[in-house]
């Protein structure tokens, strides 16, 4: 079967760095998305990786290793507004999105 | 403002009621989706429309009935729901139905409670 694993919840301190991991097992692979979802709001697109390596976008970076079936989202200089759920989704060979259950990130002052 | 608008934001309905959820996208996209989001579970894809044609129905019970009159509007008609149908229902749109060049844009969802 197809599966995405990511931690249920993480806690970090304002100003620090946090890494949210995601491992996937899919039938084929055509890339991976990260989305951010604040409580009561829409998920919003953060990043897309299809090639191995690190993609940086300001304070947020996303990494992919296709050989290991692994990705992470790195958040630097954490701010209180980064408290949200982070959703990982892989695209399989049929271009279907396989979603993780999300990681709730709690930022403490 | 996400470009995808859903109404109502909250809905409480009895098991014998009939109601509809509405979604409108202002992004000029060609594909629209209904997802169900339950606490601590992955997003569940329910229906996909591409250029107004339904291309996917993920074994959704018939008490959920989608309608897509044009590429900008999507409805989800609800009748004789069960308490386990209580969840956040998310509408999304994308330029096309495949690949990373076409990320999903989500609405804020309808929080549905079935009593």
């Amino acid at each position: 079967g197809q599966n995405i694993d990511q931690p249920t919840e993480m806690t970090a301190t304002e100003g620090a760095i946090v890494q949210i991991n995601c491992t996937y097992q899919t039938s084929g692979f055509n890339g991976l998305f990260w989305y951010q979802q604040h409580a009561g709001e829409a998920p919003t697109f953060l990043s897309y990786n299809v090639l191995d390596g690190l993609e940086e976008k300001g304070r947020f970076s996303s990494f992919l290793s296709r050989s290991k079936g692994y990705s992470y989202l790195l958040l630097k200089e954490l701010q209180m507004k980064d408290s949200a759920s982070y959703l990982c989704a892989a695209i399989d060979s049929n271009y279907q999105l396989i979603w993780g259950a999300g990681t709730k990130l709690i930022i403490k002052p | 403002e996400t470009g995808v608008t859903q109404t109502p934001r909250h809905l409480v309905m009895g098991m014998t009621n009939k109601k509809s959820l509405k979604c409108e996208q202002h992004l000029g996209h060609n594909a629209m989706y209904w997802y169900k989001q339950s606490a601590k579970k992955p997003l569940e894809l329910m229906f996909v429309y591409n250029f107004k044609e339904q291309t996917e129905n993920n074994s959704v019970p018939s008490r959920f009935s989608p309608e897509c009159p044009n590429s900008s509007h999507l409805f989800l008609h609800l009748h004789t729901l069960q308490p386990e149908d209580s969840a956040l229902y998310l509408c999304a749109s994308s330029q096309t139905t495949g690949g990373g060049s076409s990320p999903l844009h989500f609405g804020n969802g309808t929080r549905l409670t079935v009593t």
Side-chain angles (χ1 to χ4, degrees):
Chain A
Q2 307 198 92
N3 191 53
I4 300 276
D5 286 315
Q6 52 181 132
T8 303
E9 188 172 300
M10 299 181 71
T11 302
T13 304
E14 190 176 16
I17 299 172
V18 71
Q19 177 175 312
I20 302 174
N21 296 326
C22 169
T23 58
Y24 61 88
Q25 298 92 39
T26 55
S27 302
F29 179 76
N30 282 297
L32 186 140
F33 288 112
W34 283 97
Y35 283 82
Q36 180 192 58
Q37 185 177 23
H38 286 101
E41 296 184 13
T44 55
F45 169 75
L46 287 178
S47 66
Y48 170 70
N49 295 68
V50 66
L51 300 177
D52 285 354
L54 188 68
E55 298 272 346
E56 297 187 66
K57 273 187 187 180
R59 294 189 299 113
F60 290 13
S61 302
S62 55
F63 172 83
L64 177 67
S65 169
R66 294 177 66 130
S67 62
K68 294 182 180 178
Y70 167 68
S71 173
Y72 68 73
L73 183 68
L74 190 71
L75 290 73
K76 301 178 184 176
E77 301 168 18
L78 286 170
Q79 302 175 10
M80 297 303 292
K81 67 178 182 179
D82 297 330
S83 292
S85 289
Y86 292 85
L87 311 180
C88 173
I91 308 170
D92 71 9
S93 58
N94 293 320
Y95 292 94
Q96 303 296 309
L97 279 174
I98 311 302
W99 292 87
T103 298
K104 182 178 180 180
L105 178 63
I106 300 167
I107 309 297
K108 296 187 174 178
Chain B
E1 180 60 50
T2 66
V4 180
T5 304
Q6 288 188 244
T7 55
R9 289 297 306 273
H10 301 272
L11 177 63
V12 179
M13 58 186 289
M15 290 190 284
T16 58
N17 291 158
K18 288 185 180 181
K19 297 285 184 183
S20 295
L21 309 185
K22 179 182 176 182
C23 176
E24 182 175 2
Q25 58 99 357
H26 312 276
L27 301 168
H29 288 165
N30 298 311
M32 296 188 77
Y33 310 74
W34 281 116
Y35 276 93
K36 177 182 179 183
Q37 187 175 36
S38 303
K40 300 186 179 180
K41 290 186 177 180
L43 288 177
E44 297 175 48
L45 179 64
M46 300 175 72
F47 302 105
V48 182
Y49 279 83
N50 196 28
F51 292 95
K52 301 190 300 178
E53 298 298 319
Q54 186 176 312
T55 57
E56 192 141 352
N57 174 340
N58 268 5
S59 303
V60 179
S62 59
R63 57 185 183 270
F64 295 92
S65 174
E67 178 189 0
C68 188
N70 55 61
S71 293
S72 299
H73 293 86
L74 186 64
F75 295 90
L76 188 62
H77 303 299
L78 316 171
H79 65 98
T80 58
L81 294 190
Q82 304 298 310
E84 60 264 29
D85 296 324
S86 298
L88 182 68
Y89 288 84
L90 290 166
C91 173
S93 70
S94 64
Q95 186 60 45
T96 63
T97 54
S101 62
S102 191
L104 299 180
H105 294 252
F106 287 89
N108 284 327
T110 295
R111 172 67 63 186
L112 173 66
T113 303
V114 181
T115 60

